Amino acid sequence: MTNYTKLPAILLLADGTVFYGKAAGKIGTTTGEICFNTGMTGYQEIFTDPSYFGQIMVTTNSHIGNYGIQKEEIESDSIKIAGLVCKNYNIVYSRKLATESIQDYFQNDNLVAISDIDTRALVRHIRDKGAMNAIISSEITDLEELKKKLADVPSMEGLELSSKVSTTEPYFYGNPEASLKVAALDLGIKKNILRSFENRDIYVKVFPAKTKFAEMEKFNPDGYFISNGPGDPSVMPYAVETIKEILAEDKPLFGICLGHQLLAEANDIGTMKMFNGHRGLNHPVKNVIKNHCEVTSQNHGFGVIPDEVRNSDKVEITHVNLNDKSIEGIRVKGKKAFSVQYHPESSPGPHDSRYLFDDFVNVMKGELVW
């Protein structure tokens, strides 16, 4: 285990609020938009979710690191969060299947973190004041210097980030002899989404974020998938154009999270930066078509504009958030296209929404129409 000394560290928020704690992970300085996740488990999956790229994560669960790191459970090839804020940072782990401690993991992946923070007070502050930029440092103690560095950090609103986390080359996932083929546009795709396709006898070709429809079409897929990912959907015209071309050809299409927002944009529905976003494993969503409730895993700071969805003659609402009535799912009228704001692959999280992958299979087979 790597030597670890709890040096002092500082967390500074854009509104001037300061928290003092202890250094964790790599000694250094990091910046990003601060947000919090209410999940009680699954910290590896959270750390490696590409949708969190550029964000400092606050974990509301008080113990982080206690079950170590198991590489098979990560959602991408590296840590994607910009930094971590936690209360209890547990280097000694209890799980026999773990291969390394969280400290070794963070140091190997150059992640700067801070522990021994009153995360309850911090989360209450963010909840009331909204998401904002922040800086963590275990090497700079001068607050004025930290304020200057923080002032240079751009707002998440207006940032195009998916191309920074997308694959640079196409690749395949699953069994080449599978009964169905799906072309996936990688805007920050999670591995468990690919596993969910493979489990349903689907062979996937994953394409870089800025791939044109004509190139994806050469795979001759049965359907198209638009993945989750980070950043502002309103500044991704390349993806919106690809989706419009898929819709024009009336091909089956399924979108998750960012893919949901982009499907809305492709149907002239705007998106917005949310005050706090939804991040956690326990968000209640109502499927208004089937009239049932799902407990869902969510991770997004942007959403579709509800009034524009309700007034649209191109889409209909399929899912609604029961906490704030935001729009969690749509399907395109007269097309084989649908999307949800949350994560049906739910890694981590409940399995209530896995049926959406089955719905996509049935749409591709022509067994489900609306």
Side-chain angles (χ1 to χ4, degrees), residues 147-178:
K147 288 178 182 179
K148 290 179 182 178
K149 288 182 175 294
L150 184 54
D152 293 333
V153 180
S155 168
M156 185 65 70
E157 192 166 8
L159 287 185
E160 190 284 307
L161 298 177
S162 286
S163 61
K164 298 181 184 300
V165 298
S166 177
T167 182
T168 56
E169 297 292 335
Y171 65 91
F172 297 92
Y173 194 97
N175 177 12
E177 304 302 318

Side-chain angles (χ1 to χ4, degrees), residues 126-132 273-277 301:
I126 299 170
R127 184 192 65 188
D128 294 341
K129 302 297 183 181
M132 66 185 79
K273 182 78 167 64
M274 301 177 74
F275 185 69
N276 259 321

Side-chain angles (χ1 to χ4, degrees), residues 9 30 36 74 82 101 108 166 169 176 184 189 197 220 234 240 242 247 262 270 274 284 297 322 334 341 345 348 366:
T30 189
F36 61 89
I74 62 177
S101 72
N108 290 337
S166 177
E169 297 292 335
I189 200 166
F197 283 135
N220 193 28
S234 69
V240 172
T242 296
L247 293 176
L262 291 169
M274 301 177 74
S297 177
L322 293 177
Q341 180 64 81
E345 85 287 349

Side-chain angles (χ1 to χ4, degrees), residues 230-276:
D232 188 341
S234 69
V235 292
M236 298 176 64
Y238 61 88
V240 172
E241 182 57 34
T242 296
I243 293 170
K244 285 182 176 180
E245 292 180 5
I246 295 171
L247 293 176
E249 294 296 323
D250 198 21
K251 302 292 186 179
L253 182 150
F254 179 30
I256 288 177
C257 202
L258 181 60
H260 166 73
Q261 298 156 15
L262 291 169
L263 180 60
E265 291 274 357
N267 285 279
D268 303 317
I269 296 166
T271 52
M272 62 181 183
K273 182 78 167 64
M274 301 177 74
F275 185 69
N276 259 321

